[in-house]
PDB file of all heavy atoms in Angstrom:
ATOM      1  N   TYR U 136      34.582  40.247-251.222  1.00  0.00           N
ATOM      2  CA  TYR U 136      34.200  41.407-252.024  1.00  0.00           C
ATOM      3  C   TYR U 136      35.227  42.533-251.919  1.00  0.00           C
ATOM      4  O   TYR U 136      35.512  43.218-252.886  1.00  0.00           O
ATOM      5  CB  TYR U 136      32.811  41.899-251.619  1.00  0.00           C
ATOM      6  CG  TYR U 136      31.749  40.860-251.862  1.00  0.00           C
ATOM      7  CD1 TYR U 136      31.271  40.064-250.832  1.00  0.00           C
ATOM      8  CD2 TYR U 136      31.244  40.653-253.141  1.00  0.00           C
ATOM      9  CE1 TYR U 136      30.319  39.088-251.054  1.00  0.00           C
ATOM     10  CE2 TYR U 136      30.288  39.681-253.378  1.00  0.00           C
ATOM     11  CZ  TYR U 136      29.831  38.901-252.324  1.00  0.00           C
ATOM     12  OH  TYR U 136      28.892  37.930-252.560  1.00  0.00           O
ATOM     13  N   ARG U 137      35.722  42.699-250.730  1.00  0.00           N
ATOM     14  CA  ARG U 137      36.703  43.762-250.526  1.00  0.00           C
ATOM     15  C   ARG U 137      37.917  43.581-251.430  1.00  0.00           C
ATOM     16  O   ARG U 137      38.345  44.499-252.123  1.00  0.00           O
ATOM     17  CB  ARG U 137      37.149  43.777-249.051  1.00  0.00           C
ATOM     18  CG  ARG U 137      37.995  44.968-248.697  1.00  0.00           C
ATOM     19  CD  ARG U 137      38.614  44.816-247.301  1.00  0.00           C
ATOM     20  NE  ARG U 137      39.960  45.342-247.323  1.00  0.00           N
ATOM     21  CZ  ARG U 137      40.402  46.375-246.585  1.00  0.00           C
ATOM     22  NH1 ARG U 137      39.608  46.945-245.737  1.00  0.00           N
ATOM     23  NH2 ARG U 137      41.619  46.799-246.693  1.00  0.00           N
ATOM     24  N   ALA U 138      38.459  42.387-251.417  1.00  0.00           N
ATOM     25  CA  ALA U 138      39.637  42.091-252.248  1.00  0.00           C
ATOM     26  C   ALA U 138      39.308  42.255-253.727  1.00  0.00           C
ATOM     27  O   ALA U 138      40.094  42.816-254.497  1.00  0.00           O
ATOM     28  CB  ALA U 138      40.126  40.678-251.969  1.00  0.00           C
ATOM     29  N   ASN U 139      38.155  41.780-254.111  1.00  0.00           N
ATOM     30  CA  ASN U 139      37.699  41.905-255.498  1.00  0.00           C
ATOM     31  C   ASN U 139      37.609  43.368-255.908  1.00  0.00           C
ATOM     32  O   ASN U 139      38.119  43.768-256.950  1.00  0.00           O
ATOM     33  CB  ASN U 139      36.333  41.218-255.621  1.00  0.00           C
ATOM     34  CG  ASN U 139      35.775  41.266-257.035  1.00  0.00           C
ATOM     35  OD1 ASN U 139      36.083  42.182-257.802  1.00  0.00           O
ATOM     36  ND2 ASN U 139      34.951  40.290-257.375  1.00  0.00           N
ATOM     37  N   PHE U 140      37.004  44.166-255.070  1.00  0.00           N
ATOM     38  CA  PHE U 140      36.836  45.585-255.390  1.00  0.00           C
ATOM     39  C   PHE U 140      38.193  46.272-255.492  1.00  0.00           C
ATOM     40  O   PHE U 140      38.453  47.040-256.426  1.00  0.00           O
ATOM     41  CB  PHE U 140      35.976  46.262-254.322  1.00  0.00           C
ATOM     42  CG  PHE U 140      35.625  47.694-254.642  1.00  0.00           C
ATOM     43  CD1 PHE U 140      34.515  47.986-255.412  1.00  0.00           C
ATOM     44  CD2 PHE U 140      36.418  48.737-254.191  1.00  0.00           C
ATOM     45  CE1 PHE U 140      34.190  49.304-255.726  1.00  0.00           C
ATOM     46  CE2 PHE U 140      36.095  50.053-254.499  1.00  0.00           C
ATOM     47  CZ  PHE U 140      34.983  50.336-255.255  1.00  0.00           C
ATOM     48  N   GLN U 141      39.044  45.973-254.548  1.00  0.00           N
ATOM     49  CA  GLN U 141      40.377  46.576-254.521  1.00  0.00           C
ATOM     50  C   GLN U 141      41.145  46.230-255.800  1.00  0.00           C
ATOM     51  O   GLN U 141      41.842  47.076-256.365  1.00  0.00           O
ATOM     52  CB  GLN U 141      41.143  46.058-253.301  1.00  0.00           C
ATOM     53  CG  GLN U 141      42.336  46.903-252.924  1.00  0.00           C
ATOM     54  CD  GLN U 141      42.967  46.467-251.606  1.00  0.00           C
ATOM     55  OE1 GLN U 141      42.629  45.416-251.065  1.00  0.00           O
ATOM     56  NE2 GLN U 141      43.863  47.272-251.087  1.00  0.00           N
ATOM     57  N   ASN U 142      40.974  44.993-256.230  1.00  0.00           N
ATOM     58  CA  ASN U 142      41.583  44.557-257.478  1.00  0.00           C
ATOM     59  C   ASN U 142      41.087  45.326-258.682  1.00  0.00           C
ATOM     60  O   ASN U 142      41.861  45.748-259.536  1.00  0.00           O
ATOM     61  CB  ASN U 142      41.271  43.082-257.703  1.00  0.00           C
ATOM     62  CG  ASN U 142      42.501  42.239-257.551  1.00  0.00           C
ATOM     63  OD1 ASN U 142      43.567  42.637-258.028  1.00  0.00           O
ATOM     64  ND2 ASN U 142      42.367  41.110-256.883  1.00  0.00           N
ATOM     65  N   GLN U 143      39.791  45.526-258.738  1.00  0.00           N
ATOM     66  CA  GLN U 143      39.210  46.269-259.859  1.00  0.00           C
ATOM     67  C   GLN U 143      39.723  47.704-259.874  1.00  0.00           C
ATOM     68  O   GLN U 143      39.965  48.276-260.926  1.00  0.00           O
ATOM     69  CB  GLN U 143      37.684  46.249-259.778  1.00  0.00           C
ATOM     70  CG  GLN U 143      37.088  44.895-260.096  1.00  0.00           C
ATOM     71  CD  GLN U 143      35.598  44.997-260.383  1.00  0.00           C
ATOM     72  OE1 GLN U 143      35.140  45.877-261.092  1.00  0.00           O
ATOM     73  NE2 GLN U 143      34.829  44.072-259.813  1.00  0.00           N
ATOM     74  N   ARG U 144      39.874  48.284-258.696  1.00  0.00           N
ATOM     75  CA  ARG U 144      40.428  49.622-258.582  1.00  0.00           C
ATOM     76  C   ARG U 144      41.818  49.689-259.159  1.00  0.00           C
ATOM     77  O   ARG U 144      42.164  50.579-259.916  1.00  0.00           O
ATOM     78  CB  ARG U 144      40.589  49.983-257.102  1.00  0.00           C
ATOM     79  CG  ARG U 144      39.408  50.590-256.496  1.00  0.00           C
ATOM     80  CD  ARG U 144      39.834  51.244-255.191  1.00  0.00           C
ATOM     81  NE  ARG U 144      39.015  52.406-255.030  1.00  0.00           N
ATOM     82  CZ  ARG U 144      39.345  53.509-254.432  1.00  0.00           C
ATOM     83  NH1 ARG U 144      40.542  53.633-253.900  1.00  0.00           N
ATOM     84  NH2 ARG U 144      38.524  54.504-254.366  1.00  0.00           N
ATOM     85  N   ARG U 145      42.624  48.745-258.716  1.00  0.00           N
ATOM     86  CA  ARG U 145      44.011  48.714-259.154  1.00  0.00           C
ATOM     87  C   ARG U 145      44.088  48.573-260.672  1.00  0.00           C
ATOM     88  O   ARG U 145      44.865  49.258-261.334  1.00  0.00           O
ATOM     89  CB  ARG U 145      44.723  47.538-258.483  1.00  0.00           C
ATOM     90  CG  ARG U 145      46.093  47.895-257.958  1.00  0.00           C
ATOM     91  CD  ARG U 145      46.818  46.691-257.364  1.00  0.00           C
ATOM     92  NE  ARG U 145      45.935  45.713-256.750  1.00  0.00           N
ATOM     93  CZ  ARG U 145      45.902  45.432-255.443  1.00  0.00           C
ATOM     94  NH1 ARG U 145      46.674  46.093-254.612  1.00  0.00           N
ATOM     95  NH2 ARG U 145      45.109  44.489-254.976  1.00  0.00           N
ATOM     96  N   THR U 146      43.273  47.683-261.195  1.00  0.00           N
ATOM     97  CA  THR U 146      43.265  47.448-262.642  1.00  0.00           C
ATOM     98  C   THR U 146      42.835  48.698-263.402  1.00  0.00           C
ATOM     99  O   THR U 146      43.432  49.066-264.412  1.00  0.00           O
ATOM    100  CB  THR U 146      42.308  46.285-262.979  1.00  0.00           C
ATOM    101  OG1 THR U 146      42.718  45.142-262.235  1.00  0.00           O
ATOM    102  CG2 THR U 146      42.326  45.979-264.459  1.00  0.00           C
ATOM    103  N   TYR U 147      41.811  49.354-262.905  1.00  0.00           N
ATOM    104  CA  TYR U 147      41.333  50.577-263.545  1.00  0.00           C
ATOM    105  C   TYR U 147      42.443  51.621-263.609  1.00  0.00           C
ATOM    106  O   TYR U 147      42.660  52.261-264.641  1.00  0.00           O
ATOM    107  CB  TYR U 147      40.131  51.124-262.783  1.00  0.00           C
ATOM    108  CG  TYR U 147      39.534  52.362-263.412  1.00  0.00           C
ATOM    109  CD1 TYR U 147      38.584  52.246-264.417  1.00  0.00           C
ATOM    110  CD2 TYR U 147      39.930  53.637-263.010  1.00  0.00           C
ATOM    111  CE1 TYR U 147      38.037  53.376-265.017  1.00  0.00           C
ATOM    112  CE2 TYR U 147      39.399  54.768-263.597  1.00  0.00           C
ATOM    113  CZ  TYR U 147      38.449  54.637-264.590  1.00  0.00           C
ATOM    114  OH  TYR U 147      37.924  55.753-265.184  1.00  0.00           O
ATOM    115  N   ARG U 148      43.154  51.771-262.530  1.00  0.00           N
ATOM    116  CA  ARG U 148      44.232  52.757-262.493  1.00  0.00           C
ATOM    117  C   ARG U 148      45.359  52.417-263.446  1.00  0.00           C
ATOM    118  O   ARG U 148      45.962  53.301-264.040  1.00  0.00           O
ATOM    119  CB  ARG U 148      44.780  52.856-261.066  1.00  0.00           C
ATOM    120  CG  ARG U 148      43.832  53.577-260.170  1.00  0.00           C
ATOM    121  CD  ARG U 148      44.202  53.442-258.725  1.00  0.00           C
ATOM    122  NE  ARG U 148      43.206  54.111-257.905  1.00  0.00           N
ATOM    123  CZ  ARG U 148      43.372  54.400-256.629  1.00  0.00           C
ATOM    124  NH1 ARG U 148      44.493  54.073-256.017  1.00  0.00           N
ATOM    125  NH2 ARG U 148      42.423  55.011-255.963  1.00  0.00           N
ATOM    126  N   LYS U 149      45.642  51.137-263.559  1.00  0.00           N
ATOM    127  CA  LYS U 149      46.685  50.713-264.507  1.00  0.00           C
ATOM    128  C   LYS U 149      46.276  51.020-265.941  1.00  0.00           C
ATOM    129  O   LYS U 149      47.105  51.442-266.752  1.00  0.00           O
ATOM    130  CB  LYS U 149      46.970  49.225-264.345  1.00  0.00           C
ATOM    131  CG  LYS U 149      47.939  48.942-263.217  1.00  0.00           C
ATOM    132  CD  LYS U 149      48.289  47.467-263.118  1.00  0.00           C
ATOM    133  CE  LYS U 149      49.106  47.217-261.853  1.00  0.00           C
ATOM    134  NZ  LYS U 149      49.057  45.805-261.436  1.00  0.00           N
ATOM    135  N   ARG U 150      45.003  50.803-266.245  1.00  0.00           N
ATOM    136  CA  ARG U 150      44.539  51.081-267.599  1.00  0.00           C
ATOM    137  C   ARG U 150      44.597  52.585-267.868  1.00  0.00           C
ATOM    138  O   ARG U 150      44.950  53.025-268.966  1.00  0.00           O
ATOM    139  CB  ARG U 150      43.113  50.557-267.782  1.00  0.00           C
ATOM    140  CG  ARG U 150      43.074  49.035-267.802  1.00  0.00           C
ATOM    141  CD  ARG U 150      41.680  48.496-267.606  1.00  0.00           C
ATOM    142  NE  ARG U 150      40.878  48.551-268.823  1.00  0.00           N
ATOM    143  CZ  ARG U 150      39.639  48.066-268.904  1.00  0.00           C
ATOM    144  NH1 ARG U 150      39.068  47.495-267.867  1.00  0.00           N
ATOM    145  NH2 ARG U 150      38.969  48.147-270.034  1.00  0.00           N
ATOM    146  N   PHE U 151      44.235  53.363-266.871  1.00  0.00           N
ATOM    147  CA  PHE U 151      44.293  54.822-266.997  1.00  0.00           C
ATOM    148  C   PHE U 151      45.755  55.238-267.203  1.00  0.00           C
ATOM    149  O   PHE U 151      46.079  56.045-268.099  1.00  0.00           O
ATOM    150  CB  PHE U 151      43.723  55.462-265.731  1.00  0.00           C
ATOM    151  CG  PHE U 151      43.258  56.879-265.880  1.00  0.00           C
ATOM    152  CD1 PHE U 151      42.027  57.283-265.342  1.00  0.00           C
ATOM    153  CD2 PHE U 151      44.016  57.837-266.523  1.00  0.00           C
ATOM    154  CE1 PHE U 151      41.574  58.592-265.458  1.00  0.00           C
ATOM    155  CE2 PHE U 151      43.576  59.154-266.646  1.00  0.00           C
ATOM    156  CZ  PHE U 151      42.365  59.528-266.120  1.00  0.00           C
TER     157      PHE U 151
END
Side-chain angles (χ1 to χ4, degrees):
Chain U
Y136 298 99
R137 189 190 142 118
N139 181 332
F140 186 87
Q141 198 173 10
N142 250 318
Q143 289 196 44
R144 272 196 146 211
R145 224 183 328 246
T146 304
Y147 182 86
R148 286 168 183 194
K149 277 184 188 159
R150 290 165 79 176
F151 201 135

